[in-house]
Amino acid sequence: MRFGILGPLDIRSRDGLPVDPGGPRPRALLTLLLLDAGRAVSRERLIHGLYGDEPPTGASNALQSQISRLRRRLGLEIEAVPPGYRLAVSPEDVDLHRFERLSREGRRALGSGDPRGAAALLGEALGLWRGPAVADLPDALGLVARLDELRLAAVQDRVEADLALGGGHGLVPELRELIAGHPLSERLHAQLMRALHASGRTAEALTAYEDARRVLADELGADPSAELSALHLELLQGQEPARQRGVPAQLTRFIGRADELTRIGALLTGARLVTLTGPGGAGKTRLAIEAARALPDVCYVELAPLADGAQVTYAILSALGVRDGFRAAGGDTTERLLSALHGRELLLVLDNCEHLIDEAARVAALLLGACPGVRVLATSREGLGITGEVLWAVPPLAAEPAARLFADRAAAVRPDLESPADGDGVRLVGEICAALDGLPLAIELAAARLRTLTLDELAARLGDRFRLLSRGDRTKAPRHRTLHAVVEWSWELLDDEERELARRLTVFSQGATPEAVQAVCGVPYPEDLLASLAEKSFLDVADGRYGMLRTIHAFCARQLSDAGEEDRLRDAHARYFLDLAERAEPRLRGREQLPWLARLAAERGNLDAALRHLTRADPRGGLRMMAALSWFWRLRGLYGERTVLARDLLDAVGSEPPEGLGEEYVLCVINTIAGDGADPAEPDRLARADGLLAALAGPLRLPYLVVLWSVAGGPARAMEDRVRSQVGDHPWGVALLDLGQGFQELFAGRADASEAAFTRALAGFRTTGDRWGMANCLDPLGMFADWRGERDLALRRLDEGLTHVGELAAPEETADLLHQRGTVLLHAGDFEAAAAHYTRSAALARATGVPDKVATARRGLGDVARLSGDTARAREHYEAALEACAANWFSLGQSVRILVGLGRTALAESRPEEAADWLGQARGLASGTGELAEVAEALAAVAAGPEDAARLLGAAHGLRGTLIAGDPDVVPVERSARERLSPEAYDKAFGQGRELRSAAVREAVSER
């Protein structure tokens, strides 16, 4: 049945026909039970809900009688449990609980930057309301007010989503009506102000603030909150209300270009690829960023730092938050990208494509063809050359906005400088902007010089310079005739020390800290010089790092080459970052893990550049650096993008490891393994590395080599006796051995030994402070507690693991732990919470581009649906999971479990032949003991007799090391077998099954 209590009580049979529960008292009683559908409700609560604070004599007997009448009249299963009564229906069959679930999911989607999904979920949730909630229930429990608050919160969340999608004008009447009923809600007042502003009615938005301020003062004697006041200030200053965007924040005001923004918005409405073209400094990037701000879901990708077209795909994956984490390189990166974008609607901004034009065009064409919800806004000095591309040449700034830009930037460097009001001043500004061809970057550079020059001096110097350069080669690109001249002019205004440092800074590809500048550039105490260059707009400063605009970087790099310093500086740069990587390496496995991860992440571009230089100039140093960074890449980076570089380094080093660098050589080999089957030489390299690793005498200096090797080679190479001597007695290494031993014992079905090993490993990792190690131990330890039925302990362990992976910024591992937590909740009977966990796990895995983990989560959702009685939905989830499974050793076990789920679904639908087929496929694919255990348990449900069922359950126990306490699939099978056998007969058959070895179990299940 389906039940509605968000309005008058409404009961529908499965075919949609209404069902009458009777008079007011049965309707109220049923409503009370439905409020806690699937959970026990105490007699005291039921009596209080029916009769209030003064129940009549004999209320308890009357309640029992009314329960009996409800059972008979509606055929409902209402169980008598120790606290009271439990209505055995799924929460999903009650509109209130569906509303609460959809509201939570909508709020999560809103918080994660998916307003379109949030609007759909929240709209569906609010559509369930048919009138005042629990209308058939006397409000003795104060429920009406609570449910009204939930409804209002959902409405506000839906309005928030609509605002993010650009729906301003149509929301105004609704918001005014809501405020009339809830005049003290500051969130509603803020939403009204934003809606009015989005509709072009900013004056009314400011009036709405005054109305809110007056109401709060009159009713509460309070001022508006800081958030509401900040919104009011933004509107007063003409700013856009702050909203989270997938584009970088800007530190300066955007001036002019209103017509261009309108045109680009129109182009993006009708075309899926728009490319902004123009010379360097024309403002393509800033215009693209401002255009993207008008859209709800944006992914911004900066291509300028990339040196190789092969990195374009990785740059997009990185911008999407997709990473490899602790698993093997995810095969074909293109497939991972397509998986991450499948079904999404977003604008992909590809900024600065010109130097990687061919690869940028290839990737853009692929995404546009395979992902219909994706649009691309590119910036480049030339078009991508793709069918359907719309080109928009970014024009120079017109005279009036150019003058306003100059005045705005001039005021930033000289707050005391007033905008020219007299005719001469206005004329000079106009001449300066015209001489600079209206190029925004050139105007900004010129305005910055007003720190030391007057307007007259600035105009005179610009005039002299450009008169000279205007007679140059007219065939050169506009950037070389205009912007280059401005940079050169600014360069000549620097003193000798500033020029020396400016050209040397170009050796850094991603900015630098003062410490790095001093070490690499040979300038002691460089802070003053850096500050001076920043004041003259040669450098940007953010979070203690100094970087250059790309145009200025290119100009200064030429000066470095002309000075003959490039080779020496690149050697110094590589030495510094090699030292940094080697200093960081041991700290990534201890208590300093998080700050050092952040430090290496900030230097990622410099580390890559140093590694490329060492590969060419010093392969031994390259081996050391690649080895030192390998664990960082596994914890944080996209491992796969280093594959090509690792192969180049291996070629440069040769076929034999250099003296003393055996571990580094093996790690380099591991880094060449892509795992996608595209390189036929990979098996030979794996075998070669295996032999080299076997020859290494312990203890290893880089013990994480064992982890990376086991991931690259699979379970067959995961743990061998030699590893114990190689790891040594360092606490991290000992903990690592116990971690590996735990998995080996788990695969062998020795649950007690496995749990003991994981417990030792957790203690060791706690000693070192390594969050990665602790999380990887807490996951299986939570599983073991769940198997014993200790669900609270299991949840505590998994919650601690989630804290650790959250600190590591590891979405893939978060997905794993959420799935495990969902399984604990499933075994505890909380299907709704389990489904929510599986749904979030699937979303994280999908966003990370890991289809086999999406499959794992979909399998969990299939289990929830099947156990809830919705076999049609279960089948959908299982089939989608099977399709998503990747063909690698990570997902083989999941494929078996999905097939078992399909078999159980067929049994629930009374299709035994189909069930036998699915279970037969699962049996044939199963290779590990855990997988065979699940197959045996599934076959026990269709065993010919109770002895066979008990024997198969015993076999599952022997394979896994235990049966899972409270497993909703196994409990009824075990109960039935025990009821039909004497205790002695059951124990005998169960013991026979438990003593079978894996091969015998496989033979036994093959006979079924």
Side-chain angles (χ1 to χ4, degrees):
M1 290 184 180
R2 292 278 182 169
F3 303 89
I5 56 177
L6 297 179
L9 181 63
D10 182 62
I11 309 171
R12 300 279 170 169
S13 65
R14 286 295 178 185
D15 56 9
L17 297 176
V19 178
D20 182 12
R25 195 77 71 189
R27 299 174 74 88
L29 176 58
L30 182 57
T31 299
L32 288 167
L33 292 168
L34 289 169
L35 286 168
D36 288 283
R39 295 190 296 267
V41 186
S42 69
R43 291 178 176 83
E44 291 74 15
R45 178 180 172 84
L46 292 172
I47 291 172
H48 181 66
L50 290 172
Y51 300 107
D53 294 330
E54 298 181 1
T57 303
S60 181
N61 292 335
L63 174 64
Q64 182 177 357
S65 174
Q66 291 161 11
I67 290 286
S68 298
R69 284 199 294 272
L70 268 182
R71 288 190 185 119
R72 289 194 303 270
R73 187 178 183 96
L74 300 180
L76 293 173
E77 184 179 353
I78 305 176
E79 302 172 347
V81 292
Y85 296 95
R86 171 183 175 272
L87 177 59
V89 300
S90 169
E92 279 297 301
D93 289 333
V94 184
D95 59 359
L96 170 62
H97 302 297
R98 290 203 307 281
F99 165 77
E100 291 178 320
R101 175 181 61 79
L102 290 165
S103 297
R104 287 194 299 270
E105 293 174 0
R107 189 169 299 114
R108 283 196 295 267
L110 187 62
S112 64
D114 180 16
R116 194 174 304 279
L121 289 165
L122 292 162
E124 182 181 352
L126 292 165
L128 296 171
W129 285 72
R130 297 169 289 105
V134 293
D136 293 272
L137 186 66
D139 195 27
L141 301 175
L143 291 168
V144 173
R146 183 181 72 84
L147 294 177
D148 283 346
E149 288 177 4
L150 291 177
R151 184 181 190 181
L152 177 61
V155 170
Q156 291 172 317
D157 287 341
R158 196 222 74 229
V159 169
E160 199 72 34
D162 289 343
L163 283 168
L165 293 170
H169 178 75
L171 293 171
V172 171
E174 178 186 7
L175 285 166
R176 290 197 188 281
E177 184 177 348
L178 287 167
I179 288 173
H182 306 276
L184 301 181
S185 170
E186 290 194 72
R187 187 182 184 190
L188 287 175
H189 285 291
Q191 289 177 333
L192 175 60
M193 291 166 64
R194 288 168 54 199
L196 287 166
H197 176 75
S199 305
R201 299 153 66 182
T202 304
E204 290 183 60
L206 296 173
T207 301
Y209 172 81
E210 294 300 328
D211 292 340
R213 185 184 60 78
R214 186 169 52 256
V215 169
L216 293 170
D218 292 345
E219 297 295 330
L220 301 178
D223 293 327
S225 66
E227 291 80 6
L228 195 62
S229 297
L231 175 59
H232 177 239
L233 182 61
E234 289 171 356
L235 296 181
L236 279 173
Q237 294 176 341
Q239 301 174 10
E240 286 296 315
R243 291 162 61 187
Q244 185 176 0
R245 296 295 184 192
V247 293
Q250 302 301 303
L251 301 180
T252 57
R253 288 199 302 156
F254 182 69
I255 294 176
R257 304 288 198 192
D259 292 338
E260 288 91 335
L261 285 176
T262 301
R263 177 61 176 157
I264 293 170
L267 292 176
L268 286 171
T269 301
R272 294 185 57 215
L273 170 61
V274 176
T275 302
L276 308 184
T277 62
K284 301 184 295 294
T285 293
R286 187 64 185 269
L287 190 55
I289 287 172
E290 296 301 326
R293 290 183 187 281
L295 298 171
D297 196 357
V298 178
C299 175
Y300 174 85
V301 186
E302 167 64 273
L303 300 182
L306 305 187
D308 183 359
Q311 294 179 312
V312 171
T313 303
Y314 292 104
I316 300 173
L317 287 169
S318 180
L320 289 166
V322 178
R323 52 187 290 281
D324 280 333
F326 310 140
R327 66 198 296 278
D332 185 355
T333 54
T334 300
E335 289 301 320
R336 297 195 69 205
L337 179 57
L338 293 176
S339 175
L341 290 175
H342 177 71
R344 291 187 64 178
E345 292 188 8
L346 60 73
L347 176 69
L348 183 65
V349 180
L350 298 179
D351 195 19
N352 292 303
C353 299
E354 51 268 358
H355 62 306
L356 306 171
I357 193 71
D358 291 336
E359 186 64 15
R362 185 193 70 80
V363 174
L366 177 69
L367 293 178
L368 292 168
C371 305
V374 172
R375 289 176 290 164
V376 175
L377 177 61
T379 73
S380 177
R381 294 177 201 169
E382 60 179 307
L384 302 186
I386 300 173
T387 300
E389 179 184 30
V390 174
L391 298 177
W392 173 257
V394 177
L397 281 173
E400 190 272 333
R404 283 196 288 122
L405 176 64
F406 182 90
D408 182 82
R409 301 307 190 255
V413 298
R414 285 279 303 276
D416 60 329
L417 187 68
E418 294 183 0
S419 298
D422 61 273
D424 284 342
V426 173
R427 176 183 55 79
L428 285 173
V429 171
E431 289 178 356
I432 291 170
C433 294
L436 298 176
D437 289 338
L439 294 172
L441 178 57
I443 292 170
E444 292 182 349
L445 286 170
R449 302 310 303 146
L450 289 178
R451 185 183 300 275
T452 56
L453 299 174
T454 67
L455 193 61
D456 290 317
E457 291 170 337
L458 179 61
R461 296 194 185 197
L462 276 176
D464 290 340
R465 176 62 60 189
F466 285 121
R467 277 198 297 272
L468 174 65
L469 292 178
S470 66
R471 300 181 183 274
D473 186 349
R474 293 185 180 274
T475 66
K476 295 292 186 181
R479 175 179 174 183
H480 295 145
R481 289 188 279 118
T482 56
L483 185 59
H484 181 275
V486 174
V487 178
E488 185 177 45
W489 163 78
S490 297
W491 168 267
E492 291 179 353
L493 292 178
L494 302 178
D495 62 32
D496 290 342
E497 286 185 320
E498 290 171 338
R499 290 183 191 176
E500 180 183 72
L501 181 56
R503 68 173 181 257
R504 292 180 179 180
L505 285 172
T506 61
V507 76
F508 296 97
S509 64
Q510 195 179 359
T513 62
E515 173 195 341
V517 172
Q518 179 172 337
V520 174
C521 299
V523 178
Y525 309 108
E527 289 80 4
D528 288 344
L529 276 176
L530 290 169
S532 179
L533 288 170
E535 289 174 354
K536 295 174 181 178
S537 297
F538 257 75
L539 296 180
D540 291 328
V541 188
D543 299 325
R545 297 179 63 82
Y546 293 83
M548 285 182 170
L549 293 171
R550 304 305 303 180
T551 301
I552 298 175
H553 188 282
F555 177 90
C556 294
R558 184 178 302 170
Q559 310 307 312
L560 180 69
S561 178
D562 292 344
E565 297 180 316
E566 186 172 8
D567 290 342
R568 178 177 63 81
L569 265 293
R570 294 206 178 280
D571 287 342
H573 177 272
R575 285 194 303 271
Y576 175 82
F577 284 102
L578 170 58
D579 176 71
L580 178 68
E582 291 186 329
R583 279 189 290 139
E585 179 272 315
R587 292 173 170 86
L588 297 181
R589 292 176 275 122
R591 299 190 185 282
E592 299 176 272
Q593 188 176 51
L594 294 182
W596 278 92
L597 278 172
R599 185 169 181 181
L600 291 183
E603 300 289 4
R604 182 173 160 185
N606 285 312
L607 292 166
D608 287 353
L611 183 53
R612 285 194 296 270
H613 177 75
L614 290 171
T615 298
R616 295 188 298 269
D618 178 15
R620 282 182 60 94
L623 279 180
R624 289 168 53 197
M625 189 164 193
M626 178 165 284
L629 291 174
S630 291
W631 192 238
F632 164 66
W633 293 339
R634 277 298 177 190
L635 291 177
R636 271 287 179 86
L638 276 166
Y639 165 84
E641 69 181 279
R642 276 82 185 178
T643 302
V644 174
L645 183 57
R647 292 171 185 168
D648 291 343
L649 179 57
L650 201 62
D651 290 341
V653 172
S655 58
E656 294 296 328
E659 182 68 27
L661 296 179
E663 295 176 39
E664 288 81 354
Y665 189 87
V666 173
L667 278 165
C668 184
V669 174
I670 292 173
N671 283 321
T672 68
I673 307 301
D676 56 7
D679 185 355
E682 279 189 1
D684 291 339
R685 285 202 300 273
L686 279 170
R688 170 71 173 146
D690 200 20
L692 291 170
L693 183 58
L696 290 176
L700 298 176
R701 290 173 288 103
L702 307 169
Y704 52 83
L705 169 57
V706 175
V707 182
L708 302 184
W709 177 238
S710 65
V711 172
R717 295 184 171 96
M719 177 66 69
E720 299 183 15
D721 292 339
R722 72 186 187 216
V723 173
R724 297 198 170 276
S725 63
Q726 290 176 333
V727 168
D729 58 1
H730 187 279
W732 192 90
V734 173
L736 178 66
L737 286 175
D738 284 326
L739 178 66
Q741 187 66 37
F743 282 112
Q744 291 294 308
E745 299 289 0
L746 178 63
F747 296 151
R750 295 186 286 270
D752 291 342
S754 176
E755 185 171 17
F758 283 124
T759 301
R760 294 193 303 272
L762 178 61
F765 286 127
R766 285 198 196 284
T767 299
T768 67
D770 181 12
R771 292 160 180 80
W772 172 84
M774 289 187 281
N776 275 268
C777 295
L778 289 161
D779 190 345
L781 286 172
M783 177 188 70
F784 286 126
D786 175 46
W787 285 3
R788 290 192 300 273
E790 299 176 13
R791 306 264 137 72
D792 290 340
L793 174 61
L795 294 176
R796 288 198 300 274
R797 287 175 171 174
L798 295 173
D799 286 344
E800 183 186 347
L802 284 166
T803 298
H804 295 320
V805 296
E807 291 175 326
L808 290 170
E812 185 177 332
E813 292 68 44
T814 302
D816 288 338
L817 285 160
L818 284 171
H819 181 273
Q820 189 71 273
R821 203 177 191 280
T823 301
V824 175
L825 294 166
L826 179 72
H827 291 159
D830 193 344
F831 293 166
E832 181 181 3
H837 278 64
Y838 291 140
T839 299
R840 187 179 170 203
S841 175
L844 283 171
R846 188 177 295 109
T848 311
V850 192
D852 52 313
K853 294 189 184 295
V854 176
T856 302
R858 292 298 296 267
R859 176 184 62 82
L861 288 168
D863 290 342
V864 170
R866 174 174 55 79
L867 292 167
S868 299
D870 193 342
T871 55
R873 182 177 297 180
R875 187 181 295 276
E876 290 175 8
H877 285 306
Y878 288 137
E879 290 174 351
L882 200 59
E883 184 178 351
C885 262
N888 56 46
W889 67 265
F890 286 92
S891 60
L892 183 63
Q894 288 304 324
S895 297
V896 173
R897 293 177 175 90
I898 295 165
L899 292 168
V900 167
L902 284 165
R904 292 187 185 278
T905 301
L907 285 175
E909 294 173 338
S910 301
R911 290 203 291 269
E913 293 183 359
E914 180 185 335
D917 179 59
W918 288 120
L919 295 178
Q921 292 183 53
R923 181 182 61 235
L925 196 60
S927 59
T929 55
E931 301 149 20
L932 274 174
E934 293 212 22
V935 175
E937 288 170 341
L939 290 170
V942 293
E947 293 87 354
D948 281 346
R951 195 174 295 111
L952 285 165
L953 291 177
H957 186 290
L959 288 165
R960 188 190 291 116
T962 184
L963 292 180
I964 300 173
D967 186 330
D969 282 316
V970 175
V971 167
V973 178
E974 181 183 9
R975 184 189 303 122
S976 175
R978 287 185 181 276
E979 288 173 351
R980 298 164 64 189
L981 295 172
S982 67
E984 295 78 13
Y986 180 88
D987 290 343
K988 179 180 179 182
F990 187 88
Q992 290 172 345
R994 189 171 52 192
E995 296 304 318
L996 292 175
R997 297 185 179 275
S998 295
V1001 173
R1002 183 180 296 280
E1003 182 178 347
V1005 298
S1006 297
E1007 297 172 358
R1008 299 300 186 275

